[in-house]
Amino acid sequence: MIRLNNLALSKQIRKLSSSSKSSRSNLNQKNPKSDQQKEESKGNFASYAFFTIPSSFFALGVWQIKRRNEKLNLIKSLEERMDMEPSSLPINIQDLDTFINENQYRPFRVKGYFLNSKEILLTTRFDVTSKSNLPGGYVITPFVLSEDTNKIILINRGFVPFTSFSESARSKFHIDNQVELAGFLRADEPKCQLSHLNKPPNEWHIRDLKEMSQELGTEPIFLDQVKPFGLPSEPTPTQTQVDVKNDHLSYIFTWFGLSLSTFFIWLKYFAKIIP
């Protein structure tokens, strides 16, 4: 009786072991397929994720093309504004900041006299007309408007080389009588980390309208004088160029170059086209 029970028990154990082996073999048969699917899904995800890199670079290149066209149109409009006939400078300006932003580089005509005793030098500058190869500065002189005796503005009379920095040398260019002249309206000069800071009252490097007007007791209105008729040719006037930074062409090559290089990397490692 015990032997029969042992035989029955051994048969049960064999059945269980055989069933466990079959289940293991079934698991072993299923695992490679599931692992392969997992690997494929991971590869697809990595491929899509990496493809966003060249796509993003390409989008940035297209955006830089748009920005460059906008900047070229802005420069063209400002140059056309400089060719306009000078108009009289308004006496009562309600919003000065808006007026300057909307009319920068536009020529205005003023009449009055210079306060030569308060003029300052804006250094270091170079003559944009190329009449002088020496470094120098701009002569900035307060100008009293005849139409309004209480209003004084700032006039950039032009460039002088460093050899004419002394007061005795600059006194030769002083004008004491009333004059009429025209000049381009200018805004604040862009500052950068390499710019030297102004050190009033005697050291000036940046066209900062608020700081200059407070020190000299004028309105924050700045005109770059153009070449006048019947006035001395020195300091050299017309020191105005459209100063709008336009580096977008280099950015276009950079972004499209990065897009192309990362696209080839994607082809090599994910698309399997390039061996």
Side-chain angles (χ1 to χ4, degrees):
M1 194 69 182
I2 294 172
R3 287 180 181 179
L4 291 173
N5 291 335
N6 288 336
L7 286 173
L9 183 62
S10 62
K11 287 181 181 180
Q12 277 304 107
I13 292 172
R14 282 176 190 152
K15 286 182 181 180
L16 289 172
S17 62
S18 61
S19 63
S20 64
K21 286 180 181 179
S22 62
S23 62
R24 284 177 185 175
S25 61
N26 291 332
L27 287 173
N28 290 332
Q29 290 177 357
K30 291 180 180 178
N31 281 338
K33 189 174 181 180
S34 61
D35 291 342
Q36 185 179 0
Q37 290 176 348
K38 288 180 181 179
E39 290 296 327
E40 288 179 356
S41 63
K42 287 181 180 179
N44 291 334
F45 177 78
S47 176
Y48 294 141
F50 191 89
F51 190 74
T52 59
I53 298 176
S55 302
S56 300
F57 287 147
F58 185 83
L60 288 170
V62 173
W63 178 68
Q64 286 297 329
I65 292 176
K66 181 181 178 182
R67 291 285 296 130
R68 182 174 182 269
N69 292 333
E70 291 175 352
K71 198 66 68 69
L72 290 175
N73 291 332
L74 174 62
I75 293 172
K76 183 180 179 181
S77 66
L78 293 176
E79 290 175 345
E80 291 175 350
R81 186 180 295 179
M82 292 178 65
D83 293 333
M84 297 172 62
E85 286 294 323
S87 58
S88 298
L89 183 69
I91 300 301
N92 297 317
I93 302 173
Q94 301 297 329
D95 190 344
L96 187 58
D97 291 335
T98 302
F99 175 80
I100 293 174
N101 291 332
E102 292 179 353
N103 294 279
Q104 189 177 191
Y105 293 102
R106 182 178 177 180
F108 286 96
R109 185 175 60 253
V110 291
K111 187 176 182 180
Y113 60 91
F114 291 105
L115 295 178
N116 298 305
S117 61
K118 289 188 174 183
E119 73 179 14
I120 60 175
L121 283 168
L122 194 63
T123 60
T124 300
R125 306 290 165 141
F126 292 89
D127 186 5
V128 300
T129 65
S130 301
K131 292 182 179 179
S132 175
N133 295 323
L134 297 174
Y138 295 157
V139 179
I140 313 299
T141 310
F143 189 81
V144 182
L145 299 177
S146 298
E147 291 85 355
D148 187 347
T149 55
N150 294 324
K151 184 166 289 187
I152 306 173
I153 64 173
L154 295 165
I155 300 289
N156 174 17
R157 294 194 57 196
F159 172 85
V160 292
F162 72 92
T163 53
S164 298
F165 276 6
S166 64
E167 292 185 8
S168 59
R170 286 186 283 119
S171 63
K172 296 184 295 183
F173 313 132
H174 287 172
I175 301 173
D176 298 321
N177 56 311
Q178 181 174 276
V179 295
E180 185 174 0
L181 55 88
F184 298 112
L185 184 69
R186 301 303 305 276
D188 286 333
E189 193 171 13
K191 298 178 183 179
C192 65
Q193 293 180 350
L194 299 178
S195 299
H196 294 287
L197 299 178
N198 295 330
K199 297 179 182 179
N202 299 320
E203 192 174 337
W204 300 89
H205 305 287
I206 303 172
R207 188 178 63 246
D208 189 320
L209 302 188
K210 184 177 180 180
E211 190 174 22
M212 296 171 73
S213 61
Q214 287 179 350
E215 181 66 28
L216 299 176
T218 70
E219 298 286 333
I221 299 175
F222 190 103
L223 296 182
D224 271 345
Q225 180 181 323
V226 299
K227 186 177 180 180
F229 295 99
L231 294 179
S233 58
E234 294 186 33
T236 307
T238 319
Q239 299 293 323
T240 307
Q241 290 179 323
V242 174
D243 186 16
V244 177
K245 190 175 181 181
N246 186 14
D247 296 334
H248 297 287
L249 187 60
S250 62
Y251 294 150
I252 290 171
F253 284 111
T254 300
W255 293 128
F256 280 136
L258 289 171
S259 176
L260 188 63
S261 60
T262 52
F263 178 70
F264 276 112
I265 294 173
W266 178 81
L267 288 178
K268 181 178 180 179
Y269 290 101
F270 296 100
K272 306 298 183 182
I273 294 177
I274 298 178

